[in-house]
């Protein structure tokens, strides 16, 4: 494969419906601090290229987790593969659910009727076409997604009265108030993105199996530098556009919040509602928007299912079957894994209904696993003293400790005990009288322990640090104990 289609495919696979719908809705409620994700992408690209890519290129295998067996032992490889599989199973239902929200808002059809169609379509062309089909469909789907984003932004700005009016209303509504506080319990801010979310992107850009498979498909290793530069620029552009859309949506409803008035039942529906609202003067816009959201979801799902099949087959299934079975049944087993993944994805979408902000849920849950994998690679590449026992206990400790913190954080957030970080809203421009219930102020005595109030953006970073600290400590202690016995 060549540089341009691989670069476009990588950008498309990262731009799920979560970017198209989740980022604007998050900006609408909490402000534009999400824009600092662009800095974390730059940091991750530099660190990943110079630290991890040279090691990955030497593997030349279908799965990056083979490194853990070569560097440590097979037990750690199996553990990492299981964690990766868990991450995919948590992430895929959200990706499939998001376009269904947009389509449901436009047509009134239940999202759970739409989701099986999305997953079945994705599973079909992933099974039939394989890797090249995933790449080229990503390219065309990216064109649909970027067209949708640009169209919504342009017509949205026009509906508000121009870019100057958008800026004025967003500033007045505190959506452009940037947070540089060092307080780790603040939900969003510069440091949350620059430190916490950089670890998330190190995994995505350099260690994610889907990305690694695409890097290895390039004819020359030098092409990876160009691909990483192009994908870094592409991701920055898309995220900036998504933030601008969120600011524009707020400017449109600065004096009459649709969520408070009951016109929108959950925050992730605010952008589809906005599109339907302004489509009275642009009739084709809903079709363009929905097509873009579906394109974003399909590109992410296809890459996810394809890489999951290759990883699970190479790291787990191949250990259980004979060489003869591998030769005769490899294709069928890979397709079966894709089909099973699609079926599980459909089933788990019923639980997504009960989540709050999808952006917060996804980053809180999968950030833990991203951090563990980054921590394990960091131990293997940077710390030669690390042994298999230290790496295993580091990963296990991080999963248990940070997983507990992340789970309790989301529980307390759901119960409203972490404080209300939402920016102010207004109903002064609403035509009818509206009764709303304001959020209760959380007293200091009611707030949970400080570790349980950490911003979910820090989950990947904290997870990585726990792996490294425990891994190095256990490796040192076991080495000292072994030397003492030999002495």
């Amino acid at each position: 494969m060549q540089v341009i289609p691989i670069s476009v495919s990588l950008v498309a696979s990262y731009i799920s419906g979560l970017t198209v719908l989740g980022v604007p809705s998050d900006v609408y409620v909490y402000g534009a601090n999400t824009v600092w994700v662009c800095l974390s992408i730059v940091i991750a690209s530099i660190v990943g290229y110079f630290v991890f890519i040279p090691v990955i290129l030497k593997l030349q295998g279908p799965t990056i987790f083979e490194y853990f067996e070569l560097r440590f032992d097979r037990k750690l490889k199996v553990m990492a593969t299981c964690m990766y599989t868990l991450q995919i199973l948590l992430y895929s239902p959200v990706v499939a659910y998001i376009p269904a929200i947009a389509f449901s808002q436009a047509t009134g059809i239940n999202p759970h009727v739409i989701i099986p169609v999305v997953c079945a379509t994705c599973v079909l062309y992933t099974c039939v076409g394989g890797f090249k089909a995933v790449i080229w469909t990503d390219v065309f789907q990216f064109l649909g997604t970027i067209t949708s984003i640009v169209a919504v932004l342009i017509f949205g700005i026009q509906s508000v009265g121009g870019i100057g009016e958008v800026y004025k209303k967003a500033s007045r509504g505190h959506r452009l108030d940037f947070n540089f506080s060092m307080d780790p319990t603040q939900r969003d801010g510069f440091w949350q993105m620059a430190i916490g979310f950089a670890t998330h992107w190190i995994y995505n850009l350099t260690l994610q199996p889907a990305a690694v498979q695409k890097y290895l498909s390039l004819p020359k290793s030098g092409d990876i530098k160009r691909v990483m530069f192009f994908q870094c620029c592409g991701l920055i552009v898309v995220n900036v556009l998504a933030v601008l859309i969120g600011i524009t949506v707020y400017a449109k409803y600065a004096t009459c919040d649709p969520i408070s008035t009951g016109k929108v039942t959950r925050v992730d529906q605010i952008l589809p509602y906005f599109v339907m609202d302004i489509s009275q003067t642009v009739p084709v816009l809903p079709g363009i928007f929905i097509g873009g959201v579906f394109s974003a979801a399909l590109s992410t799902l296809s890459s996810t299912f394809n890489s999951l099949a290759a990883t699970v087959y190479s790291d787990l299934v191949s250990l259980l079957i004979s060489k003869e079975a591998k030769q005769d049944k490899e294709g069928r087993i890979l397709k079966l894994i894709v089909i099973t993944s699609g079926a599980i994805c459909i089933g788990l979408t019923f639980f997504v209904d009960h989540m709050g902000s999808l952006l917060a849920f996804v980053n809180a849950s999968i950030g833990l696993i991203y951090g563990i994998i980054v921590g394990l690679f960091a131990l293997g590449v940077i710390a030669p003293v690390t042994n298999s026992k230290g790496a295993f206990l580091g990963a296990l400790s991080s999963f248990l400790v940070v997983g507990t913190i992340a789970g309790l954080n989301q529980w307390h957030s759901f119960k409203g005990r972490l404080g209300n970080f939402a920016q102010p809203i207004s109903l002064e421009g609403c035509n009818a009288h509206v009764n709303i219930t304001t959020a209760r102020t959380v007293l200091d005595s009611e707030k949970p322990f400080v570790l349980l109030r950490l911003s979910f953006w820090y989950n990947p970073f904290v997870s990585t640090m726990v792996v490294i600290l425990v891994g190095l400590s256990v490796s040192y202690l076991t080495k000292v104990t072994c030397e003492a016995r030999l002495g």
Side-chain angles (χ1 to χ4, degrees), residues 13-25:
S13 62
Y14 300 134
I15 306 171
S16 65
L18 197 64
T19 306
V20 180
L21 264 66
V23 172
S25 63

Side-chain angles (χ1 to χ4, degrees), residues 66-341:
E66 182 183 353
Y67 173 76
F68 295 141
E69 182 173 4
L70 297 173
R71 174 65 176 82
F72 299 113
D73 55 27
R74 178 172 290 181
K75 178 174 62 176
L76 198 65
K77 180 182 79 169
V78 172
M79 180 185 187
T81 303
C82 291
M83 287 187 177
Y84 169 71
T85 304
L86 175 62
Q87 174 252 311
I88 294 298
L89 295 180
L90 288 172
Y91 182 52
S92 297
V94 178
V95 173
Y97 184 77
I98 286 177
I101 293 177
F103 196 78
S104 176
Q105 189 76 24
T107 64
I109 299 176
N110 190 307
H112 295 290
V113 176
I114 305 163
I115 290 167
V117 179
V118 175
C119 290
T121 303
C122 184
V123 166
L124 178 63
Y125 75 74
T126 302
C127 286
V128 173
F131 183 76
K132 283 193 174 183
V134 169
I135 298 295
W136 286 110
T137 51
D138 279 351
V139 171
F140 290 109
Q141 286 159 357
F142 174 77
L143 296 177
T145 302
I146 200 68
T147 300
S148 169
I149 291 173
V150 172
V152 170
L153 181 60
I154 291 174
F155 291 117
I157 291 174
Q158 288 179 354
S159 71
V160 176
I163 190 69
E165 194 67 20
V166 170
Y167 176 79
K168 183 168 65 176
K169 291 183 177 181
S171 298
R172 192 184 305 148
H174 303 281
R175 264 54 183 184
L176 298 179
D177 292 354
F178 295 109
N179 177 24
F180 293 93
S181 170
M182 297 289 288
D183 182 359
T185 64
Q186 294 288 312
R187 183 187 187 274
D188 302 302
F190 175 83
W191 297 107
Q192 284 83 341
M193 293 294 176
I195 296 178
F197 213 44
T199 307
H200 176 107
W201 280 105
I202 288 174
Y203 170 82
N204 262 340
L205 300 180
T206 55
L207 301 177
Q208 187 189 57
V212 172
Q213 289 169 16
K214 292 172 185 177
Y215 291 146
L216 295 179
S217 71
L218 294 165
K220 296 182 293 184
S221 60
D223 291 335
I224 294 181
K225 182 188 293 185
R226 296 164 61 198
V227 167
M228 293 195 74
F229 174 77
F230 288 141
Q231 77 171 345
C232 179
C233 294
L235 287 169
I236 288 173
V237 169
V238 171
N239 277 279
V240 168
L241 291 175
V243 170
L244 290 175
I245 289 175
I247 294 171
T248 303
V249 175
Y250 171 75
K252 178 71 173 179
Y253 304 118
T255 57
C256 188
D257 175 41
I259 302 173
S260 300
T261 58
K263 295 178 181 178
V264 173
T265 56
R266 55 181 297 150
V267 65
D268 301 290
Q269 293 176 323
I270 189 69
L271 184 57
Y273 174 82
F274 170 76
V275 171
M276 296 304 297
D277 190 11
I278 67 175
S279 66
Q280 297 174 13
T281 56
V282 192
V284 299
L285 188 59
I288 295 173
F289 170 69
I290 292 172
V293 174
F294 273 95
S295 294
L298 287 170
S299 62
T300 302
L301 282 175
S302 60
S303 293
T304 298
F305 290 157
N306 187 74
S307 64
L308 180 64
T311 303
V312 170
Y313 176 79
S314 298
D315 292 346
L316 300 179
V317 177
S318 63
L319 303 177
L320 306 175
I321 60 177
S322 63
K323 293 183 178 180
E324 293 76 15
K326 288 182 184 179
Q327 295 174 352
D328 298 337
K329 301 177 181 179
E330 182 178 89
R332 279 178 284 178
I333 294 173
L334 288 168
K335 291 176 182 178
L336 180 62
I337 295 172
V338 173
I339 294 169
T340 304
S341 304

Side-chain angles (χ1 to χ4, degrees), residues 355-377:
M355 303 302 168
S357 169
L358 295 181
L359 187 69
F361 166 73
V362 168
N363 288 302
S365 58
I366 68 176
L368 160 68
I369 298 173
Y370 285 5
I372 291 174
I373 295 175
V374 172
L376 288 173
F377 266 95

Side-chain angles (χ1 to χ4, degrees), residues 1 37 59 96 100 154 191 194 203 206 214 225 277 279 320 330-331 411 415 419 438 440 442 446 459 469:
M1 301 299 295
V37 71
L59 292 176
I154 291 174
W191 297 107
Y203 170 82
T206 55
K214 292 172 185 177
K225 182 188 293 185
D277 190 11
S279 66
L320 306 175
E330 182 178 89
W411 172 256
K415 293 294 184 180
T438 57
R440 182 177 66 86
V442 181
E446 297 177 312
N459 284 354
L469 293 175

